[in-house]
Amino acid sequence: MTSVRFPTGFVWGTATAAYQVEGAVAEDGRGPSIWDTFCRVPGAIAGGDTGDVACDHYRRWPEDVALMASLGLGAYRFSVAWPRVQPDGAGPANQKGLDHYRRLVDGLLERGIVPYLTLYHWDLPQALEDRGGWPARDTAYRFADYAAIVRDALGDVVDHWATLNEPKVASHAGYGEGIHAPGIRDRALRDRAAHHLLLAHGLGLSVLSGSGEVGVTLDLSPVVPYGGSRADAEAYDYDNHGMFLEPILRGESRLPDDLVHAGDLDLISAPIDYLGVNYYRPLYVPRVPPELPVTAVGWPVVPSGLRDLLVGLRDTYPDLPPVYITENGAAYDDEVGPDGWVDDPLRVAYLHAHLLALHEAIEAGVDVRGYFLWTLLDNFEWAEGYSKRFGIVHVDHADQTRRPKTSAHWYGQVARTGAVPQPGPELTWKTESDE
Ligand code: IFM
């Protein structure tokens, strides 16, 4: 079987998020975030887990960067923790917090790994939540101040920026369903949060203008009716995707005028250099076909959904900017074998099939510039705590030992060659020293 080859210059990386990997929550002046608070709510997180230690990436980043380099990865998508930079969510910068990210970025660049910086991956300073959180319009302006601080501190070394990661999850899971921080269940507050996150994105674009390649990451899925009506599926699609895509790509919103002020949509629909797409699975309405294989978090494995999503986006939005796949990956119940090796053939098969589907989308003319695998390290999977492992590197959460899984070596070969090989014994990634 021949391998498929991606375009020259295609970016291969992994992605993480601050609260999921850093730990060190009280280090160097970091303030509390809404996730520190939410983790203390009884029953909120599986196993009562917290991000207090996570993967200790705040201290162990040199080891992790060396690991990325040894695998041959070309880029690293990480997020900055707002509460490290502004412990109270407003006011002057905490220099020690900024220094950490400067060291991380310098360390990446020294190893030839290109940093892709996301400003907000859900860890709102608790002080801002206490002042109304995302349902309060002022939070968007506080975000713009924070963005300016990070731009001033790192703009000389970071060329790739994202304002937000998955604003839908921040608004809908955090303020609508209450399953994420801050744990609120209120439809009106959810919509307010969604709009103010979008406004934060728009204000952030203005702040970052001229700082390099600037975009935003959305979690997107084809929505497929299964046992329900097309109208229900379309309503669900708007609620999950259109509510964010339409303002960003068309300057249109269905939210009321008392929420969407004059001028907001001009900011929000300002041109972006790229759209970050996080794809894991299609969303079936109202239920998942029972015959589909699922991952350890119950998500159906449908690689063709990635191709269909990208082609559909391009067809719906003729001016679609270039795309990066900013997340894609799978959770499985990986175990350390008796020889210390962590074999994860299901993840290799998942990645392999999704990369072939991605290649099909590129062949169909979608302008995709890179792929960031979720995720480098087994980490704090939000409400699931440490019970779900998405990493290509196994982390022993008792002693922080890192063990690259079969998938890490497989993906390293992809990154080094730009070609997707068949999974299987003919691969050359397992060297004698690994045995
Ligand atoms: O872990 C998350 C990440 O923070 C955002 N996108 C989905 C991942 C898997 O659930």
Side-chain angles (χ1 to χ4, degrees):
M1 179 101 184
T2 54
S3 57
V4 301
R5 185 160 289 284
F6 279 70
T8 306
F10 194 82
V11 175
W12 297 101
T14 56
T16 65
Y19 191 72
Q20 293 181 269
V21 295
E22 285 182 352
V25 291
E27 200 83 2
D28 292 338
R30 178 187 179 278
S33 80
I34 55 175
W35 274 93
D36 297 292
T37 307
F38 190 60
C39 287
R40 263 71 201 174
V41 175
I45 312 294
D49 292 342
T50 75
D52 288 4
V53 176
C55 305
D56 199 25
H57 185 63
Y58 189 76
R59 295 191 188 84
R60 293 172 192 259
W61 65 264
E63 179 189 345
D64 295 334
V65 171
L67 189 50
M68 288 180 233
S70 74
L71 293 173
L73 306 181
Y76 181 46
R77 173 177 176 251
F78 65 96
S79 76
V80 171
W82 188 347
R84 288 197 192 282
V85 171
Q86 286 182 301
D88 296 325
N94 172 34
Q95 191 57 44
K96 284 188 171 175
L98 290 170
D99 289 347
H100 165 71
Y101 295 106
R102 162 66 68 165
R103 286 192 293 271
L104 172 62
V105 168
D106 286 348
L108 289 165
L109 292 171
E110 276 164 24
R111 300 254 185 189
I113 299 170
V114 180
Y116 282 68
L117 186 156
T118 298
L119 284 166
Y120 185 72
H121 196 128
W122 310 349
D123 43 359
L124 186 72
Q126 180 61 43
L128 289 183
E129 183 58 36
D130 296 342
R131 281 180 253 151
W134 285 110
R137 191 175 167 89
D138 185 61
T139 301
Y141 294 96
R142 299 287 67 76
F143 176 83
D145 292 348
Y146 156 65
I149 290 172
V150 180
R151 174 204 61 198
D152 291 348
L154 298 174
D156 59 330
V157 280
V158 172
D159 289 331
H160 307 273
W161 302 80
T163 52
L164 311 175
N165 177 77
E166 299 184 2
K168 190 266 314 259
V169 178
S171 57
H172 289 34
Y175 294 89
E177 297 160 54
I179 56 171
H180 276 194
I184 292 169
R185 286 168 166 244
D186 183 306
R187 175 83 178 210
L189 292 182
R190 181 203 84 156
D191 288 353
R192 294 183 62 79
H195 178 64
H196 295 144
L197 280 153
L198 285 164
L199 180 60
H201 159 70
L203 293 165
L205 286 182
S206 309
V207 167
L208 293 168
S209 170
S211 302
E213 192 181 39
V214 186
V216 61
T217 279
L218 303 181
D219 53 312
L220 300 172
S221 299
V223 176
V224 184
Y226 186 78
S229 70
R230 184 155 292 282
D232 282 353
E234 280 171 9
Y236 189 79
D237 196 15
Y238 185 82
D239 205 50
N240 282 272
H241 308 125
M243 189 184 280
F244 299 88
L245 282 168
E246 293 288 310
I248 290 170
L249 297 179
R250 288 203 174 117
E252 295 173 8
S253 173
R254 296 184 192 171
L255 293 172
D257 288 348
D258 60 346
L259 179 56
V260 183
H261 294 191
D264 285 3
L265 289 168
D266 292 335
L267 288 168
I268 295 166
S269 64
I272 48 178
D273 298 312
Y274 71 93
L275 178 67
V277 172
N278 292 357
Y279 171 78
Y280 290 89
R281 52 162 170 168
L283 293 171
Y284 295 92
V285 179
R287 61 181 178 276
V288 178
E291 67 275 12
L292 292 176
V294 294
T295 66
V297 286
W299 294 350
V301 179
V302 185
S304 60
L306 178 55
R307 178 201 60 215
D308 296 348
L309 170 70
L310 294 173
V311 170
L313 279 171
R314 191 268 321 268
D315 291 348
T316 307
Y317 301 101
D319 295 330
L320 185 72
V323 166
Y324 284 97
I325 304 305
T326 36
E327 290 183 23
N328 174 243
Y332 287 108
D333 296 326
D334 310 312
E335 286 176 11
V336 182
D339 59 353
W341 186 268
V342 184
D343 196 23
D344 57 345
L346 292 175
R347 183 172 293 101
V348 173
Y350 178 102
L351 296 171
H352 174 257
H354 283 77
L355 289 177
L356 293 188
L358 178 59
H359 191 264
E360 286 175 17
I362 295 170
E363 294 274 279
V366 184
D367 183 359
V368 185
R369 303 282 172 92
Y371 175 90
F372 292 82
L373 193 160
W374 185 268
T375 178
L376 179 69
L377 305 166
D378 289 337
N379 60 43
F380 178 79
E381 178 51 27
W382 307 112
E384 305 285 357
Y386 299 100
S387 67
K388 303 299 175 196
R389 295 181 176 274
F390 272 90
I392 54 171
V393 175
H394 184 278
V395 177
D396 182 329
H397 295 299
D399 66 8
Q400 297 294 340
T401 300
R402 272 80 161 136
R403 292 184 176 89
K405 304 175 190 178
T406 299
S407 58
H409 296 276
W410 184 87
Y411 184 58
Q413 179 166 326
V414 172
R416 289 191 301 274
T417 62
V420 179
Q422 281 294 96
E426 71 275 15
L427 290 185
T428 53
W429 40 257
K430 200 169 178 184
T431 63
E432 273 179 26
S433 59
D434 292 325
E435 305 278 354

PDB file of all heavy atoms in Angstrom, residues 20 121-122 165-166 278 280 299 327 374 381-382 390, ligand 1:
ATOM      1  N   GLN A  20      -4.793  22.181  31.442  1.00  0.00           N
ATOM      2  CA  GLN A  20      -4.766  20.730  31.322  1.00  0.00           C
ATOM      3  C   GLN A  20      -3.388  20.129  31.574  1.00  0.00           C
ATOM      4  O   GLN A  20      -3.291  18.938  31.874  1.00  0.00           O
ATOM      5  CB  GLN A  20      -5.269  20.314  29.941  1.00  0.00           C
ATOM      6  CG  GLN A  20      -6.746  20.634  29.745  1.00  0.00           C
ATOM      7  CD  GLN A  20      -7.263  20.201  28.391  1.00  0.00           C
ATOM      8  OE1 GLN A  20      -7.236  20.978  27.457  1.00  0.00           O
ATOM      9  NE2 GLN A  20      -7.733  18.983  28.278  1.00  0.00           N
ATOM     10  N   HIS A 121      -7.953  29.448  26.557  1.00  0.00           N
ATOM     11  CA  HIS A 121      -8.460  28.073  26.491  1.00  0.00           C
ATOM     12  C   HIS A 121      -9.141  27.784  27.833  1.00  0.00           C
ATOM     13  O   HIS A 121      -8.705  26.936  28.597  1.00  0.00           O
ATOM     14  CB  HIS A 121      -7.320  27.105  26.187  1.00  0.00           C
ATOM     15  CG  HIS A 121      -7.749  25.736  25.723  1.00  0.00           C
ATOM     16  ND1 HIS A 121      -7.263  25.148  24.583  1.00  0.00           N
ATOM     17  CD2 HIS A 121      -8.605  24.837  26.244  1.00  0.00           C
ATOM     18  CE1 HIS A 121      -7.797  23.945  24.426  1.00  0.00           C
ATOM     19  NE2 HIS A 121      -8.625  23.733  25.446  1.00  0.00           N
ATOM     20  N   TRP A 122     -10.147  28.641  28.152  1.00  0.00           N
ATOM     21  CA  TRP A 122     -11.159  28.375  29.177  1.00  0.00           C
ATOM     22  C   TRP A 122     -10.801  28.716  30.619  1.00  0.00           C
ATOM     23  O   TRP A 122     -11.644  28.563  31.506  1.00  0.00           O
ATOM     24  CB  TRP A 122     -11.622  26.919  29.151  1.00  0.00           C
ATOM     25  CG  TRP A 122     -12.023  26.410  27.802  1.00  0.00           C
ATOM     26  CD1 TRP A 122     -12.216  27.130  26.664  1.00  0.00           C
ATOM     27  CD2 TRP A 122     -12.288  25.045  27.456  1.00  0.00           C
ATOM     28  NE1 TRP A 122     -12.594  26.302  25.635  1.00  0.00           N
ATOM     29  CE2 TRP A 122     -12.639  25.017  26.084  1.00  0.00           C
ATOM     30  CE3 TRP A 122     -12.261  23.855  28.183  1.00  0.00           C
ATOM     31  CZ2 TRP A 122     -12.962  23.828  25.415  1.00  0.00           C
ATOM     32  CZ3 TRP A 122     -12.580  22.681  27.514  1.00  0.00           C
ATOM     33  CH2 TRP A 122     -12.929  22.664  26.153  1.00  0.00           C
ATOM     34  N   ASN A 165      -9.940  29.382  22.040  1.00  0.00           N
ATOM     35  CA  ASN A 165     -10.179  27.987  21.693  1.00  0.00           C
ATOM     36  C   ASN A 165     -11.622  27.617  22.022  1.00  0.00           C
ATOM     37  O   ASN A 165     -12.063  27.778  23.169  1.00  0.00           O
ATOM     38  CB  ASN A 165      -9.267  27.060  22.499  1.00  0.00           C
ATOM     39  CG  ASN A 165      -9.563  25.603  22.187  1.00  0.00           C
ATOM     40  OD1 ASN A 165      -9.160  25.109  21.140  1.00  0.00           O
ATOM     41  ND2 ASN A 165     -10.306  24.920  23.047  1.00  0.00           N
ATOM     42  N   GLU A 166     -12.361  27.143  21.030  1.00  0.00           N
ATOM     43  CA  GLU A 166     -13.689  26.570  21.227  1.00  0.00           C
ATOM     44  C   GLU A 166     -14.587  27.436  22.119  1.00  0.00           C
ATOM     45  O   GLU A 166     -14.992  27.014  23.210  1.00  0.00           O
ATOM     46  CB  GLU A 166     -13.585  25.158  21.816  1.00  0.00           C
ATOM     47  CG  GLU A 166     -12.833  24.185  20.941  1.00  0.00           C
ATOM     48  CD  GLU A 166     -12.831  22.753  21.502  1.00  0.00           C
ATOM     49  OE1 GLU A 166     -13.451  22.514  22.556  1.00  0.00           O
ATOM     50  OE2 GLU A 166     -12.208  21.888  20.886  1.00  0.00           O
ATOM     51  N   ASN A 278     -11.221  22.265  15.126  1.00  0.00           N
ATOM     52  CA  ASN A 278     -11.058  21.093  15.989  1.00  0.00           C
ATOM     53  C   ASN A 278     -12.123  20.082  15.595  1.00  0.00           C
ATOM     54  O   ASN A 278     -13.319  20.358  15.700  1.00  0.00           O
ATOM     55  CB  ASN A 278     -11.253  21.457  17.475  1.00  0.00           C
ATOM     56  CG  ASN A 278     -10.141  22.344  17.998  1.00  0.00           C
ATOM     57  OD1 ASN A 278      -9.184  22.645  17.277  1.00  0.00           O
ATOM     58  ND2 ASN A 278     -10.261  22.757  19.244  1.00  0.00           N
ATOM     59  N   TYR A 280     -13.413  16.032  16.013  1.00  0.00           N
ATOM     60  CA  TYR A 280     -13.307  14.719  16.656  1.00  0.00           C
ATOM     61  C   TYR A 280     -14.292  13.713  16.096  1.00  0.00           C
ATOM     62  O   TYR A 280     -14.007  12.538  16.007  1.00  0.00           O
ATOM     63  CB  TYR A 280     -13.529  14.853  18.174  1.00  0.00           C
ATOM     64  CG  TYR A 280     -12.391  15.562  18.855  1.00  0.00           C
ATOM     65  CD1 TYR A 280     -12.390  16.951  18.998  1.00  0.00           C
ATOM     66  CD2 TYR A 280     -11.288  14.865  19.327  1.00  0.00           C
ATOM     67  CE1 TYR A 280     -11.327  17.610  19.603  1.00  0.00           C
ATOM     68  CE2 TYR A 280     -10.219  15.513  19.936  1.00  0.00           C
ATOM     69  CZ  TYR A 280     -10.243  16.887  20.061  1.00  0.00           C
ATOM     70  OH  TYR A 280      -9.185  17.517  20.654  1.00  0.00           O
ATOM     71  N   TRP A 299     -17.218   8.787  21.810  1.00  0.00           N
ATOM     72  CA  TRP A 299     -17.397   9.537  20.567  1.00  0.00           C
ATOM     73  C   TRP A 299     -17.234   8.585  19.381  1.00  0.00           C
ATOM     74  O   TRP A 299     -16.239   7.842  19.306  1.00  0.00           O
ATOM     75  CB  TRP A 299     -16.375  10.675  20.462  1.00  0.00           C
ATOM     76  CG  TRP A 299     -16.565  11.739  21.506  1.00  0.00           C
ATOM     77  CD1 TRP A 299     -17.627  11.873  22.369  1.00  0.00           C
ATOM     78  CD2 TRP A 299     -15.665  12.809  21.813  1.00  0.00           C
ATOM     79  NE1 TRP A 299     -17.445  12.965  23.188  1.00  0.00           N
ATOM     80  CE2 TRP A 299     -16.251  13.558  22.868  1.00  0.00           C
ATOM     81  CE3 TRP A 299     -14.441  13.218  21.308  1.00  0.00           C
ATOM     82  CZ2 TRP A 299     -15.633  14.682  23.426  1.00  0.00           C
ATOM     83  CZ3 TRP A 299     -13.817  14.341  21.857  1.00  0.00           C
ATOM     84  CH2 TRP A 299     -14.428  15.068  22.896  1.00  0.00           C
ATOM     85  N   GLU A 327      -7.029  20.721  16.367  1.00  0.00           N
ATOM     86  CA  GLU A 327      -7.141  19.556  17.256  1.00  0.00           C
ATOM     87  C   GLU A 327      -7.780  18.414  16.490  1.00  0.00           C
ATOM     88  O   GLU A 327      -8.729  18.611  15.732  1.00  0.00           O
ATOM     89  CB  GLU A 327      -8.013  19.825  18.501  1.00  0.00           C
ATOM     90  CG  GLU A 327      -7.401  20.760  19.507  1.00  0.00           C
ATOM     91  CD  GLU A 327      -8.273  20.940  20.747  1.00  0.00           C
ATOM     92  OE1 GLU A 327      -9.108  20.055  21.059  1.00  0.00           O
ATOM     93  OE2 GLU A 327      -8.114  21.982  21.395  1.00  0.00           O
ATOM     94  N   TRP A 374      -4.349  16.376  18.978  1.00  0.00           N
ATOM     95  CA  TRP A 374      -4.704  16.482  20.400  1.00  0.00           C
ATOM     96  C   TRP A 374      -4.540  15.100  20.998  1.00  0.00           C
ATOM     97  O   TRP A 374      -5.293  14.234  20.667  1.00  0.00           O
ATOM     98  CB  TRP A 374      -6.146  16.985  20.612  1.00  0.00           C
ATOM     99  CG  TRP A 374      -6.392  17.185  22.070  1.00  0.00           C
ATOM    100  CD1 TRP A 374      -6.910  16.280  22.970  1.00  0.00           C
ATOM    101  CD2 TRP A 374      -6.075  18.370  22.819  1.00  0.00           C
ATOM    102  NE1 TRP A 374      -6.926  16.819  24.230  1.00  0.00           N
ATOM    103  CE2 TRP A 374      -6.414  18.092  24.157  1.00  0.00           C
ATOM    104  CE3 TRP A 374      -5.520  19.613  22.494  1.00  0.00           C
ATOM    105  CZ2 TRP A 374      -6.231  19.034  25.182  1.00  0.00           C
ATOM    106  CZ3 TRP A 374      -5.334  20.542  23.515  1.00  0.00           C
ATOM    107  CH2 TRP A 374      -5.702  20.239  24.836  1.00  0.00           C
ATOM    108  N   GLU A 381      -8.492  16.021  31.584  1.00  0.00           N
ATOM    109  CA  GLU A 381      -9.536  16.086  30.558  1.00  0.00           C
ATOM    110  C   GLU A 381     -10.819  16.676  31.164  1.00  0.00           C
ATOM    111  O   GLU A 381     -11.864  16.052  31.219  1.00  0.00           O
ATOM    112  CB  GLU A 381      -9.746  14.702  29.942  1.00  0.00           C
ATOM    113  CG  GLU A 381     -10.828  14.579  28.889  1.00  0.00           C
ATOM    114  CD  GLU A 381     -10.788  15.594  27.743  1.00  0.00           C
ATOM    115  OE1 GLU A 381      -9.702  16.101  27.420  1.00  0.00           O
ATOM    116  OE2 GLU A 381     -11.864  15.889  27.200  1.00  0.00           O
ATOM    117  N   TRP A 382     -10.700  17.897  31.699  1.00  0.00           N
ATOM    118  CA  TRP A 382     -11.843  18.670  32.186  1.00  0.00           C
ATOM    119  C   TRP A 382     -12.729  17.838  33.121  1.00  0.00           C
ATOM    120  O   TRP A 382     -12.204  17.261  34.074  1.00  0.00           O
ATOM    121  CB  TRP A 382     -12.595  19.276  31.000  1.00  0.00           C
ATOM    122  CG  TRP A 382     -11.656  20.054  30.098  1.00  0.00           C
ATOM    123  CD1 TRP A 382     -11.294  19.727  28.820  1.00  0.00           C
ATOM    124  CD2 TRP A 382     -10.908  21.268  30.406  1.00  0.00           C
ATOM    125  NE1 TRP A 382     -10.399  20.652  28.313  1.00  0.00           N
ATOM    126  CE2 TRP A 382     -10.147  21.598  29.258  1.00  0.00           C
ATOM    127  CE3 TRP A 382     -10.818  22.086  31.536  1.00  0.00           C
ATOM    128  CZ2 TRP A 382      -9.300  22.710  29.210  1.00  0.00           C
ATOM    129  CZ3 TRP A 382      -9.985  23.202  31.495  1.00  0.00           C
ATOM    130  CH2 TRP A 382      -9.242  23.509  30.346  1.00  0.00           C
ATOM    131  N   PHE A 390      -5.936  11.064  26.217  1.00  0.00           N
ATOM    132  CA  PHE A 390      -5.906  11.495  24.812  1.00  0.00           C
ATOM    133  C   PHE A 390      -4.468  11.588  24.285  1.00  0.00           C
ATOM    134  O   PHE A 390      -4.268  11.906  23.119  1.00  0.00           O
ATOM    135  CB  PHE A 390      -6.537  12.888  24.668  1.00  0.00           C
ATOM    136  CG  PHE A 390      -8.040  12.922  24.448  1.00  0.00           C
ATOM    137  CD1 PHE A 390      -8.919  12.985  25.520  1.00  0.00           C
ATOM    138  CD2 PHE A 390      -8.576  12.914  23.165  1.00  0.00           C
ATOM    139  CE1 PHE A 390     -10.295  13.044  25.327  1.00  0.00           C
ATOM    140  CE2 PHE A 390      -9.948  12.969  22.953  1.00  0.00           C
ATOM    141  CZ  PHE A 390     -10.819  13.033  24.033  1.00  0.00           C
TER     142      PHE A 390
HETATM  143  O1  IFM B   1      -9.346  18.239  25.928  1.00  0.00           O
HETATM  144  C1  IFM B   1     -10.187  18.910  25.055  1.00  0.00           C
HETATM  145  C2  IFM B   1      -9.603  20.252  24.668  1.00  0.00           C
HETATM  146  O2  IFM B   1      -9.332  21.036  25.777  1.00  0.00           O
HETATM  147  C3  IFM B   1     -10.562  20.993  23.786  1.00  0.00           C
HETATM  148  N1  IFM B   1     -11.013  20.198  22.675  1.00  0.00           N
HETATM  149  C4  IFM B   1     -11.447  18.840  22.958  1.00  0.00           C
HETATM  150  C5  IFM B   1     -10.425  18.115  23.806  1.00  0.00           C
HETATM  151  C6  IFM B   1     -10.902  16.678  24.093  1.00  0.00           C
HETATM  152  O3  IFM B   1     -12.089  16.685  24.807  1.00  0.00           O
END
